[in-house]
Amino acid sequence: MNPVRVVGRITLDILAQAGDVTLFALKGVAAMLSPPWFPRQLARQLMAIGYLSLPVVGLTAVFTGAALALNIYTGGGRFNAEQIMPQIVALGITRELGPVLAALMLGGRVSAAIAAELGAMRATEQIDAMRTLSTDPFRYLVGPRLLAGVISLPLLTAVADLIGIAGGWLVATRTLNFNPTVYVRNTGDFLQDWDVESGLIKAAVFGFIVTLMGCYHGYNATGGARGVGRATTLAVVSAAILIFLSDYLLTTWFSRS
Amino acid sequence: MSDQPPKLQWKDVRIHLSGHDVLDGLNLTAQTGRSLVVIGGSGQGKSVTIKIAMGLMTPDSGQILIDGEDVTHLTGARRNQLFARFGMLFQGAALFDSLPVWENVAFRLINADGLSRPEGRKRAIEALAKVRLGKEVADLYPGDLSGGMQKRVALARAVVGSPEIIMFDEPTTGLDPITADAVNDLIVEQVKQLGCTAISITHDLASARKIGDDVAMLHGGRIVWSGPVESLDNSGNPYVEQFLAGRAEGPITAAI
């Protein structure tokens, strides 16, 4: 086969897919922001996406904060700068690791679950059935999930920030002989509002991406059980890639403004 | 002869899927207040026929007429208004497995018609009683029910809004003969009570004879025979005769 043709075909496929995802996302935003709303569905999704993700996000944050503290202490020791550890831990957690790790954990837990659930609903004609019951399945299934993702992830990130900093504090005060009060004061004095706010803005974007990928791949799943499995894998992988890509773009944008 | 247009009509409907013509100029009419059964072998486009009528698929060409109005490419509020008059029982019941039985039955009433949840629950329990399911089933989940019970719940969901047109996609598939007969009885009873137009697709001949007033045979994407159910046994049509006899030899090739 002509290699130019192969490259052309792949490029066209990628562009078509990107266009399809963009249209789906725009339709999703419209479903989030305009009636009919389904408050019970939103409450269920807030519970499933937000509340039930607290343990896994909390565990990730505490260990990351602790490991980060140890690494910064070791690295800082090379030029006698161990004392800046509390500030760097706080900055690293709030600006970067809190939102990114919470989003990745949510991607693994929620994106996959949404893709599997919607994919199974597609395979068993439940989505068609909803349409025959005069209810727009997109608004009922996709809108509340996207909104729940955008609301939940900043809240989870705020919790992850606190727990991550606490993880660093624990290691610093228990094993590295830092003064607990001084550690907290150094952290509080150093952190600026924007450090936390920029992380929460990132988290809202990541929350949209995580739920969007789950919804997109699940809603468009074809081919029965195999299709559901494929949708689940694609949802997790594409969510992770888009989180890293959008993290870089947002960080670049924030650092210029 | 009445000037009233048929309740539902497929006019020269064509659709090409997965490399072949699933419907190739389908012409079919469902008269008001009658029960039409479409029979045919596996893979002949029976499910596609009703999915197109329900607006779940769009044909490549042709028209779907409801009371003479072309609804083929209808969208928005008018579409919702027209399709609110439909009810459908899916082949696999298609119950929402994350919702309890009563919420499945009352789904349209609560989410589309704006009924309160207590009122929706009351109406759902009444509808369940019509398909011989007790109040105790209302709070179970679809996964807790047998196949026959799921079909009955799906029937309750299809009839709860008193539709004018009701579709049955293989209503007895996967059921034992006794349960299948009970489901057929319920379908006949509900269609009579509602006075609606029914369109069923099936390859179950016992079901076709029981629930149908008119029968049409679909083969190769077209209707090859149609007539009243009483004339099914002396149709003189080789396709129908082979289908009734269940022979492998004849104009219909087995789908294997």
Side-chain angles (χ1 to χ4, degrees):
Chain A
M1 198 181 233
N2 184 343
V4 176
R5 181 177 288 184
V6 173
V7 172
R9 169 59 56 89
I10 292 170
T11 309
L12 285 176
D13 283 351
I14 291 171
L15 289 174
Q17 179 89 349
D20 205 29
V21 172
T22 307
L23 285 176
F24 192 93
L26 291 174
K27 219 175 138 192
V29 171
M32 279 163 61
L33 302 177
S34 62
W37 288 293
F38 298 96
R40 286 185 74 85
Q41 269 291 94
L42 178 63
R44 285 177 58 161
Q45 295 309 322
L46 283 171
M47 177 63 91
I49 294 171
Y51 183 71
L52 294 178
S53 298
L54 267 173
V56 71
V57 169
L59 270 178
T60 309
V62 73
F63 288 119
T64 303
L68 185 65
L70 284 173
N71 279 319
I72 291 169
Y73 186 81
T74 309
R78 291 178 192 166
F79 44 93
N80 299 318
E82 296 96 331
Q83 292 310 313
I84 62 159
M85 190 256 272
Q87 292 90 328
I88 304 297
V89 167
L91 196 71
I93 292 282
T94 55
R95 277 187 168 245
E96 187 66 29
L97 293 173
V100 170
L101 290 177
L104 288 175
M105 297 317 288
L106 210 70
R109 207 187 83 81
V110 170
S111 227
I114 293 176
E117 187 180 2
L118 297 192
M121 288 184 78
R122 172 69 72 193
T124 54
E125 296 185 308
Q126 291 178 49
I127 291 179
D128 284 344
M130 205 169 277
R131 198 177 288 283
T132 68
L133 295 167
S134 304
T135 305
D136 181 348
F138 196 91
R139 286 185 173 277
Y140 186 86
L141 297 170
V142 177
R145 282 171 170 80
L146 293 178
L147 193 54
V150 173
I151 294 170
S152 297
L153 198 52
L155 295 174
L156 286 168
T157 299
V159 174
D161 287 351
L162 285 173
I163 296 177
I165 291 170
W169 177 86
L170 264 178
V171 168
T173 56
R174 296 299 156 99
T175 64
L176 304 174
N177 298 319
F178 273 71
N179 180 298
T181 315
V182 174
Y183 188 104
V184 172
R185 197 174 57 227
N186 282 351
T187 302
D189 289 348
F190 177 76
L191 267 187
Q192 295 174 1
D193 290 348
W194 180 242
D195 296 330
V196 179
E197 288 161 8
S198 63
L200 297 182
I201 294 170
K202 279 184 179 180
V205 175
F206 298 161
F208 183 75
I209 288 171
V210 164
T211 44
L212 177 72
M213 287 300 102
C215 289
Y216 174 77
H217 290 290
Y219 199 80
N220 295 308
T222 51
R226 189 169 160 267
V228 175
R230 192 165 172 270
T232 308
T233 309
L234 282 172
V236 175
V237 173
S238 55
I241 291 170
L242 287 176
I243 286 166
F244 289 126
L245 179 67
S246 58
D247 180 46
Y248 173 71
L249 294 175
L250 285 170
T251 307
T252 307
W253 185 38
F254 291 158
S255 64
R256 282 179 188 166
S257 53
Chain B
M1 196 168 155
S2 165
D3 288 340
Q4 203 185 6
K7 184 54 99 180
L8 182 59
Q9 200 176 2
W10 291 254
K11 268 179 97 172
D12 201 25
V13 172
R14 291 167 200 274
I15 188 165
H16 188 86
L17 295 170
S18 306
H20 73 286
D21 295 318
V22 177
L23 297 181
D24 187 17
L26 176 84
N27 286 294
L28 185 63
T29 300
Q31 297 295 347
T32 307
R34 288 184 69 82
S35 174
L36 168 70
V37 177
V38 181
I39 58 171
S42 303
Q44 296 301 319
K46 300 192 301 295
S47 290
V48 173
T49 300
I50 59 169
K51 281 185 177 170
I52 285 177
M54 291 294 294
L56 298 173
M57 296 173 90
T58 308
D60 297 334
S61 65
Q63 289 178 305
I64 300 296
L65 307 174
I66 299 175
D67 289 327
E69 181 181 346
D70 184 0
V71 300
T72 323
H73 301 286
L74 210 59
T75 54
R78 179 69 186 140
R79 183 197 180 281
N80 291 342
Q81 194 185 358
L82 269 173
F83 284 91
R85 294 153 59 188
F86 277 67
M88 179 159 176
L89 189 152
F90 283 81
Q91 186 171 352
L95 298 175
F96 308 126
D97 40 27
S98 60
L99 299 179
V101 163
W102 78 264
E103 225 173 316
N104 264 280
V105 176
F107 192 87
R108 183 202 294 252
L109 304 176
I110 294 170
N111 293 296
D113 301 345
L115 222 65
S116 68
R117 289 173 65 80
E119 183 62 23
R121 183 184 165 88
K122 191 172 148 252
R123 292 271 300 272
I125 289 171
E126 286 167 11
L128 286 169
K130 287 181 187 171
V131 295
R132 318 273 190 275
L133 287 172
K135 201 177 169 183
E136 66 283 357
V137 173
D139 292 314
L140 298 178
Y141 280 81
D144 302 328
L145 307 178
S146 67
M149 287 168 90
Q150 287 188 10
K151 281 277 165 78
R152 284 195 275 168
V153 173
L155 178 59
R157 184 174 71 177
V159 301
V160 73
S162 305
E164 286 175 33
I165 302 170
I166 187 160
M167 308 267 190
F168 300 102
D169 184 0
E170 304 277 9
T172 55
T173 295
L175 302 179
D176 68 80
I178 296 163
T179 309
D181 196 49
V183 169
N184 286 334
D185 284 340
L186 287 169
I187 287 173
V188 172
E189 186 183 300
Q190 290 304 311
V191 169
K192 269 190 187 155
Q193 271 181 21
L194 292 167
C196 61
T197 304
I199 297 107
S200 314
I201 59 167
T202 185
H203 50 238
D204 176 356
L205 286 168
S207 181
R209 290 178 202 278
K210 190 143 200 175
I211 63 182
D213 297 320
D214 303 305
V215 180
M217 168 111 191
L218 182 65
H219 182 74
R222 290 162 176 254
I223 298 298
V224 291
W225 179 85
S226 64
V229 70
E230 299 80 22
S231 60
L232 192 61
D233 290 318
N234 41 32
S235 65
N237 181 288
Y239 292 95
V240 176
E241 284 171 355
Q242 184 190 351
F243 193 77
L244 293 184
R247 286 192 312 263
E249 300 82 26
I252 306 172
T253 313
I256 51 169

